[in-house]
Amino acid sequence: QVQLKESGPGLVQPSQTLSLTCTVSGFSLTSNSVHWVRQPPGKGLEWVGAIWSGGSTDYNSALKSRLSISRDTSKSQVFLKMNSLQTEDTAIYFCTANWGYWGQGVMVTVSS
Amino acid sequence: DTVLTQSPALAVSPGERVTISCRASESVSTLMHWYQQKPGQQPTLLIYLASNLESGVPARFSGSGSGTDFTLTIDPVEADDTATYYCQQSWNDPFTFGSGTKLEIK
């Protein structure tokens, strides 16, 4: 069955770079899009960006200058890198395949 | 960015019909989707492309609308429907979510 699992550091220092991995199974990255969505504690959902089946990417314009999404199809993994982290980036980060399948999310706290 | 406006909260009794609205600041055609999120869980897709029921979702859920005005209907409501409901558009870049409607079952 389709599964997605996010992984990465739970704590990141301000101004540092966040690196997250979404490991997928049960479907091909070359046939499906994967999006990243984040949710600050107690708040709503925010679209971060996407990598499409063909490998092209789209980013939220508010984050674009700090953001990179890539993938390794041989390992069925999608990567998110965001630099210059601030406390406002503290959130649960989810990856989702075509919006219908979601990972459980990974909590990222930006704090010194 | 396309702003999606939702009522913050609703309270209904089991067995009633509830409608949750979502108004877009500009047209999103029918590229509107609805999610349910329970505390501590990831969102789950209920309705895609405004009116299509996601596989496995009970037929008590339905969606309608186009352009700027959309509605999610639950009929009849059950106790397990207690959750926050989000609309999301994928017509305009960047994709955006509504702020969520918290549904309480009395």
Side-chain angles (χ1 to χ4, degrees):
Chain A
Q1 72 276 29
V2 173
Q3 291 187 324
L4 300 93
K5 185 172 176 64
E6 305 89 348
S7 60
L11 181 65
V12 181
Q13 303 246 349
S15 80
Q16 297 302 302
T17 297
L18 171 67
S19 294
L20 297 177
T21 300
C22 175
T23 303
V24 310
S25 60
F27 70 96
S28 170
L29 291 176
T30 58
S31 303
N32 296 273
S33 63
V34 171
H35 298 254
W36 288 94
V37 173
R38 69 180 183 177
Q39 185 170 39
K43 297 191 177 180
L45 302 165
E46 179 183 31
W47 178 71
V48 173
I51 187 161
W52 302 98
S53 57
S56 62
T57 53
D58 273 318
Y59 302 128
N60 187 319
S61 51
L63 303 172
K64 190 171 185 175
S65 63
R66 304 192 287 133
L67 188 60
S68 173
I69 297 175
S70 60
R71 71 185 185 186
D72 184 334
T73 55
S74 67
K75 294 183 178 179
S76 294
Q77 292 181 322
V78 175
F79 309 104
L80 178 150
K81 285 190 191 296
M82 186 184 302
N83 58 34
S84 304
L85 251 60
Q86 301 301 320
T87 54
E88 310 86 83
D89 296 311
T90 294
I92 299 172
Y93 286 74
F94 298 100
C95 58
T96 168
N98 296 334
W99 303 110
Y101 297 95
W102 292 67
Q104 301 234 334
V106 60
M107 179 69 205
V108 175
T109 301
V110 182
S111 175
S112 54
Chain B
D1 296 3
T2 304
V3 176
L4 302 181
T5 302
Q6 297 183 242
S7 302
L10 288 171
V12 298
S13 299
E16 292 185 347
R17 170 190 168 108
V18 64
T19 58
I20 297 172
S21 65
C22 177
R23 174 163 287 179
S25 60
E26 58 187 319
S27 176
V28 299
S29 185
T30 57
L31 269 67
M32 181 65 78
H33 322 290
W34 290 92
Y35 301 85
Q36 177 192 68
Q37 187 179 33
K38 297 182 177 181
Q41 296 185 16
Q42 68 271 50
T44 57
L45 180 64
L46 299 173
I47 301 289
Y48 63 95
L49 298 176
S51 61
N52 295 275
L53 190 68
E54 174 70 354
S55 175
V57 175
R60 303 183 292 104
F61 293 87
S62 63
S64 64
S66 66
T68 61
D69 289 297
F70 298 85
T71 299
L72 172 71
T73 300
I74 312 172
D75 186 17
V77 163
E78 297 182 358
D80 187 53
D81 298 333
T82 296
T84 299
Y85 293 84
Y86 293 94
C87 56
Q88 179 235 342
Q89 65 84 21
S90 59
W91 178 251
N92 298 312
D93 186 13
F95 301 157
T96 49
F97 289 87
S99 54
T101 297
K102 191 169 185 177
L103 180 65
E104 176 195 341
I105 311 301
K106 300 178 207 174

